[in-house]
């Protein structure tokens, strides 16, 4: 009998293209069992027609099915979501009065929000973690059930946070609950088969979190945790967290005297002399790389709302802009610019352009302001005042492929200078967007074709594009394995229409250009934060605010040390002479603490012989006596080559 004739059967198509026939209503687990007992034992969840579901979900129609095991990245999200439920189960045992909020999986872990009478203490977390281990050991099944709205109201009668969420569900929306042992939650799932699958986890910390993210609502207590499939993965992650804490740019920024913040200007950094040197060195490097192929311009910082209405930001972004009172109108209809795009469009449109000029690449380093919530501010990674290496490319449509290839090489080469590796993501149209579907079809097709022409692998991020166009994002991995979203290439067909931008074509008629929005560092502030943590404050010589400290052993050599410092300064080397009335060991130790690449110690013999006893950062007590000019030449070579290594082997390799 064929499947069409057998109304009680469904056809399941597996990833390899093979098919299985099963009774209608058979569970996803039965698919795994039909394939083999080993797969059934390893199965954690499944993807059915693209949707991740529990193994107990019945299959009611012909479908594509993929069984998910520990090898699938999606399975880790399912495990972590289940870990959040195990956490809530344990909290209810330790603090029965706790009212429950939400408990999703997040990058690298999970959290759950609770409304409690007093905050959780570290001792509470230890007790809760022990209870989680007991729940996991009990191996309680995760049972999914579809319920009516009235049933759900009764089940969660004592949980006002859940009742509030329940009332927001649409009239036709399926309401599901999950139960494991004594704990029941309003949840869409999916979950692993049972709590026993959770073996390697750790509770990390607690934090306050407003209910629904609304600062006008009550403050909840959020418990963060992490979960992994193997003990090794968990230990590696905990090690990365410990490394991240040691490398925290806020801590190192204070210790290395790079920047500071003050309540009088929240979200805006005060850069110290050393921090300013670091900042300017980075900007100069970007300028140098862009000198030949880009044109730098400066544009105003204040604009009235007419510009933002034309660009579409006034309606979609105004709450993130700093508005200024217009003395004439008495209205807050002037804004500090939060981005450079519209000002570049205005500048381009102020003159006529020929097709022969294109592509035109305008780059700007102007100060920008965005009105971030005070609670969201975090060191240099989330600020209100910042600068970007912001570029907009105006080009013909037939230049897209070559321009994307050029920009990809430019951006990846920039990251390589710092020892950063990048992966690419292609983001398509979001739900909230401007422009017609036809325009988006052209933009997505053009950018995808250009990306694929490079031959580089990429990940598809559906619905994650900018509101005006699709984009290529660069996720950069640092020295301890963390990913940071930095650069972007965004293709824009919409704003050339909004601003009526044109160029004169070969046919002597006006044509519409296409625009690429390009950023490499993101913001210099955030990029410096990443570099501080990437290098743990031990910058390569070319970036280091102080490249060498000259230390005379006694006052007798102080004059020689100061003269050597002056000579180094004349050569363009950033030097500090430490001739304070402190012990030699104290001054050396301070230079090491400040992570200065080189220490040139000058004693009696060195002063007479034109040499220095040179110590290299990180080499301990090891030192090498060198001609002072040779030391300067080696430092200059490391600066010229921008080598990442510090030491004489690095200089010799660069030569």
């Amino acid at each position: 009998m064929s499947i069409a004739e057998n109304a009680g059967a469904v056809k399941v198509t597996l990833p390899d293209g093979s098919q299985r026939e099963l009774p209608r209503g058979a569970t996803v687990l039965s698919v795994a069992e039909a394939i083999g007992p080993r797969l059934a034992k390893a199965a954690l969840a499944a993807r059915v027609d693209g949707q991740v579901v529990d193994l107990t979900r019945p299959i009611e129609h012909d479908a594509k099915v993929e069984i998910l095991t520990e090898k699938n990245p999606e399975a880790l999200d399912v495990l972590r979501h289940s870990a959040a439920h195990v956490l809530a189960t344990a909290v209810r045992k330790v603090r029965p009065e706790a009212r429950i909020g939400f408990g999703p999986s997040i990058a690298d872990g999970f959290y759950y929000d609770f409304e409690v009478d007093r905050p959780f203490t570290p001792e509470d977390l230890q007790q809760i973690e022990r209870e989680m281990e007991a729940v996991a050991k009990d191996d309680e099944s995760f049972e999914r059930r579809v319920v009516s709205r009235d049933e759900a109201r009764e089940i969660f009668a004592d949980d006002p946070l859940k009742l509030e969420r329940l009332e927001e569900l649409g009239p036709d929306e399926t309401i599901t609950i999950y139960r494991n042992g004594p704990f029941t939650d309003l949840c869409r799932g999916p979950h692993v088969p049972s709590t026993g699958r959770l073996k390697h986890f750790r509770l990390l910390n607690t934090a306050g979190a407003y209910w629904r993210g609304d600062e006008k609502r009550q403050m909840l207590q959020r418990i963060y945790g992490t979960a992994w499939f193997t003990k090794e993965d968990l230990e590696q992650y905990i090690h990365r967290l410990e490394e991240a804490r040691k490398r925290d740019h806020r801590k190192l920024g204070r210790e290395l005297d790079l920047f500071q913040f003050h309540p009088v200007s929240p979200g805006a950094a005060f850069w110290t002399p050393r921090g300013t040197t670091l900042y300017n060195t980075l900007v100069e490097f970007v300028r140098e790389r862009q000198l030949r192929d880009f044109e730098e311009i400066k544009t105003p910082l204040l604009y009235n709302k007419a510009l933002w209405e034309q660009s579409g930001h006034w309606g979609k972004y105004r709450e993130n802009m700093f508005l200024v009172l217009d003395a004439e109108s008495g209205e807050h209809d002037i804004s500090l610019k939060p981005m450079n795009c519209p000002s570049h469009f205005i500048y381009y449109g102020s003159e006529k352009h020929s097709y022969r000029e294109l592509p035109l690449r305008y780059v700007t380093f102007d100060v920008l302001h965005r009105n971030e919530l005070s609670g969201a501010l975090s060191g240099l990674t989330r600020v209100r005042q910042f600068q970007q290496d912001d570029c907009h490319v105006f080009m013909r449509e037939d230049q897209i492929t070559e321009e994307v290839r050029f920009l990809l090489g430019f951006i990846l080469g920039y990251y390589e200078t710092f020892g950063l590796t990048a992966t690419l993501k292609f983001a398509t149209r979001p739900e909230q967007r401007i422009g017609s579907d036809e325009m988006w079809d052209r933009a997505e097709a053009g950018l995808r074709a250009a990306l694929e022409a490079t031959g580089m692998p990429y990940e598809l991020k559906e619905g994650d594009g900018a509101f005006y166009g699709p984009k290529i994002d660069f996720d950069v991995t640092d020295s301890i394995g963390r990913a940071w979203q930095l650069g972007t290439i965004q293709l824009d067909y919409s704003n050339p229409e909004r601003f009526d931008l044109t160029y004169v074509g070969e046919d002597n008629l006006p044509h519409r250009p296409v625009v690429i929005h390009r950023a490499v560092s993101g913001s210099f502030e955030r990029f410096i934060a990443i570099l501080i943590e990437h290098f743990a404050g031990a910058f390569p010589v070319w970036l280091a605010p102080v490249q060498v400290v000259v230390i005379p052993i006694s006052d007798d050599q102080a004059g020689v040390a100061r003269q050597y410092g002056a000579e180094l300064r004349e050569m363009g080397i950033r030097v500090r002479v430490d001739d304070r009335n402190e012990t030699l060991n104290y001054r050396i130790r301070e230079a090491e603490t400040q992570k200065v690449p080189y220490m040139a110690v000058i004693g009696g013999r060195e002063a007479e012989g034109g040499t220095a006893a040179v110590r290299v950062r990180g080499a301990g007590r090891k030192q090498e006596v060198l001609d002072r000019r040779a030391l300067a030449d080696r430092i200059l070579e490391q600066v010229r080559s921008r080598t990442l290594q510090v030491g004489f082997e690095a200089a010799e390799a660069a030569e």
Side-chain angles (χ1 to χ4, degrees):
M1 181 183 296
S2 70
I3 291 179
E5 293 170 328
N6 184 2
V10 292
K11 180 174 63 176
V12 170
T13 303
L14 302 175
D16 63 0
S18 63
Q19 295 181 336
R20 303 264 176 169
E21 184 177 319
L22 296 168
R24 189 177 304 278
T27 64
V28 175
L29 178 59
S30 65
V31 176
E33 290 170 339
I35 297 172
R38 289 180 61 187
L39 179 62
K41 184 178 180 180
L44 294 166
R47 189 185 294 107
V48 177
D49 288 338
Q51 179 185 2
V52 180
V53 301
D54 309 295
L55 293 177
T56 56
R57 189 71 65 90
I59 302 174
E60 302 292 350
H61 53 77
D62 294 350
K64 294 181 179 179
V65 176
E66 179 184 3
I67 304 300
L68 303 180
T69 68
E70 293 182 9
K71 298 178 181 179
N72 300 92
E74 299 94 331
L76 194 52
D77 286 333
V78 177
L79 178 77
R80 289 169 175 165
H81 185 193
S82 302
H85 279 235
V86 173
L87 166 60
T89 308
V91 167
R92 275 285 174 82
K93 289 184 177 182
V94 175
R95 303 276 287 273
E97 80 285 359
R99 293 170 289 280
I100 55 176
F102 294 144
S105 65
I106 55 175
D108 293 332
F110 59 91
Y111 70 77
Y112 214 112
D113 289 340
F114 304 94
E115 187 173 9
V116 288
D117 297 331
R118 63 174 177 82
F120 295 106
T121 65
E123 292 73 25
D124 288 332
L125 289 195
Q126 292 176 7
Q127 185 179 1
I128 292 167
E129 192 171 286
R130 288 193 295 270
E131 287 293 342
M132 289 179 68
E133 292 170 353
V135 173
K137 187 176 181 180
D138 288 343
D139 199 21
E140 301 162 346
S141 297
F142 283 100
E143 300 171 358
R144 176 181 183 269
R145 187 158 67 92
V146 177
V147 298
S148 69
R149 194 175 299 268
D150 287 340
E151 284 181 283
R153 289 186 182 121
E154 184 177 344
I155 292 169
F156 299 104
D158 296 327
D159 276 308
L161 304 180
K162 290 296 180 184
L163 290 176
E164 180 179 329
R165 176 67 185 119
L166 179 64
E167 296 310 313
E168 294 172 350
L169 300 179
D172 299 325
E173 194 162 350
T174 300
I175 300 172
T176 57
I177 62 171
Y178 277 83
R179 180 183 179 89
N180 59 282
F183 179 67
T184 302
D185 202 357
L186 179 69
C187 177
R188 289 194 177 96
H191 289 284
V192 295
S194 66
T195 61
R197 299 298 183 103
L198 182 65
K199 299 181 185 300
H200 308 288
F201 62 91
R202 184 80 56 83
L203 294 186
L204 302 173
N205 60 280
T206 63
Y210 290 111
W211 172 234
R212 313 305 293 273
D214 185 346
E215 59 186 2
K216 297 178 182 178
R217 304 294 301 275
Q218 68 267 43
M219 177 70 75
L220 307 182
Q221 291 295 304
R222 176 171 295 178
I223 297 179
Y224 286 97
T226 188
W228 300 83
F229 283 124
T230 69
K231 181 180 180 181
E232 181 183 12
D233 285 343
L234 174 62
E235 290 176 345
Q236 288 178 354
Y237 178 71
I238 297 300
H239 175 70
R240 289 199 301 271
L241 286 182
E242 292 169 353
E243 277 294 309
R245 276 192 285 271
K246 287 189 283 187
R247 294 165 179 256
D248 189 322
H249 76 278
R250 294 164 296 188
K251 170 178 173 287
L252 289 175
R254 291 190 302 272
E255 293 174 356
L256 301 179
D257 190 28
L258 299 176
F259 61 88
Q260 56 187 247
F261 289 92
H262 196 281
V264 297
S265 185
F270 286 78
W271 293 92
T272 68
R274 291 184 183 184
T276 300
T277 297
L278 173 62
Y279 199 113
N280 289 341
T281 301
L282 186 62
V283 173
E284 287 163 10
F285 170 57
V286 175
R287 277 200 168 103
E288 177 188 318
R289 294 192 81 239
Q290 297 183 148
L291 190 62
R292 186 182 62 185
D293 298 307
F294 298 78
E295 297 187 54
E296 184 176 343
I297 63 174
K298 291 185 70 63
T299 62
L301 303 185
L302 278 174
Y303 296 89
N304 66 39
K305 70 176 183 180
L307 177 69
W308 307 116
E309 286 174 336
Q310 188 175 4
S311 68
H313 289 96
W314 195 253
K316 295 180 178 292
Y317 201 77
R318 182 170 37 177
E319 67 274 10
N320 300 110
M321 298 161 70
F322 281 102
L323 304 183
V324 179
L325 182 69
D326 187 332
E328 293 185 7
S329 69
E331 300 290 336
H332 286 83
D333 54 7
I334 296 177
S335 170
L336 289 166
K337 66 177 179 181
M339 69 280 296
N340 290 303
C341 329
S343 58
H344 283 190
F345 302 151
I346 291 291
Y347 179 75
Y348 176 91
S350 66
E351 299 177 344
K352 284 190 175 181
H353 299 280
S354 164
Y355 72 96
R356 298 179 186 274
E357 299 176 64
L358 307 183
L360 269 175
R361 306 182 184 103
Y362 293 141
V363 65
T364 290
F365 300 102
D366 292 342
V367 174
L368 303 174
H369 292 84
R370 294 182 184 174
N371 192 10
E372 302 281 359
L373 293 173
S374 59
L377 300 176
S378 178
L380 296 176
T381 58
R382 196 72 175 266
V383 290
R384 287 175 170 171
Q385 176 183 295
F386 58 96
Q387 289 177 248
Q388 289 183 320
D389 51 348
D390 207 1
C391 172
H392 293 89
V393 183
F394 300 83
M395 60 189 173
R396 306 188 308 268
E397 194 169 19
D398 64 289
Q399 293 175 315
I400 292 174
T401 298
E402 186 55 38
E403 187 63 20
V404 170
R405 188 194 306 272
F406 166 76
L407 293 175
L408 275 171
F410 182 92
I411 294 171
L412 293 173
Y414 178 82
Y415 297 147
E416 287 172 4
T417 305
F418 303 96
L420 298 166
T421 58
T423 56
L424 308 182
K425 296 186 177 180
F426 177 59
T428 60
R429 70 193 76 184
E431 287 188 18
Q432 297 295 321
R433 58 183 182 269
I434 58 177
S436 66
D437 286 343
E438 180 185 4
M439 181 275 290
W440 275 90
D441 289 342
R442 288 170 58 202
E444 288 178 352
L447 190 59
R448 187 193 295 265
L451 177 56
E452 291 181 346
T454 68
M456 296 190 63
Y458 66 90
E459 178 185 343
L460 180 63
K461 299 286 285 187
E462 292 186 2
D464 203 34
F467 74 87
Y468 49 75
K471 60 179 180 171
I472 301 169
D473 284 334
F474 294 75
D475 277 10
V476 172
T477 303
D478 67 12
S479 59
I480 58 173
R482 295 172 302 176
W484 305 83
Q485 200 282 305
L486 283 181
T488 188
I489 295 174
Q490 303 173 356
L491 189 61
D492 184 356
Y493 280 77
S494 179
N495 277 300
E497 292 284 347
R498 282 176 169 262
F499 285 84
D500 193 24
L501 305 181
T502 61
Y503 66 88
V504 178
E506 197 171 3
D507 56 5
N508 211 33
L509 295 174
H511 295 266
R512 192 75 71 202
V514 184
V515 170
I516 281 181
H517 305 244
R518 184 232 67 181
V520 184
S521 301
S523 75
F524 286 115
E525 283 74 7
R526 184 166 176 265
F527 191 62
I528 288 173
I530 292 168
L531 290 182
I532 291 171
E533 299 191 8
H534 173 59
F535 291 117
F539 298 108
V541 178
W542 72 275
L543 265 182
V546 178
Q547 294 164 330
V548 58
V549 173
V550 180
I551 306 175
I553 288 180
S554 69
D555 288 344
D556 293 340
Q557 296 88 42
V560 174
R562 285 193 288 270
Q563 176 61 34
Y564 185 42
E567 292 171 3
L568 293 173
R569 205 168 286 114
E570 280 292 315
M571 296 180 204
I573 294 173
R574 297 190 287 273
V575 59
R576 182 168 65 86
V577 178
D578 190 352
D579 56 358
R580 292 174 299 166
N581 188 26
E582 300 285 356
T583 66
L584 176 63
N585 285 339
Y586 179 90
R587 287 176 286 162
I588 288 174
R589 190 162 56 249
E590 184 175 275
E592 290 173 341
T593 301
Q594 290 295 306
K595 302 181 186 292
V596 179
Y598 293 102
M599 287 162 274
V601 179
I602 298 178
R605 283 182 299 179
E606 289 82 14
E608 292 179 6
T611 60
V614 180
R615 294 186 177 218
V616 178
R617 179 181 65 204
R621 294 179 176 272
K622 181 181 177 182
Q623 64 182 34
E624 184 176 352
V625 177
L626 290 173
D627 178 84
R628 292 201 289 267
R629 177 68 203 204
L631 171 61
D633 289 341
R634 291 188 176 191
I635 292 173
L636 288 171
E637 177 56 31
Q638 291 180 7
V639 172
R640 186 201 63 79
S641 63
R642 294 194 174 91
T643 180
L644 294 174
Q645 287 74 38
V646 173
F648 303 119
E649 296 82 1
E652 291 164 1
E655 290 171 356

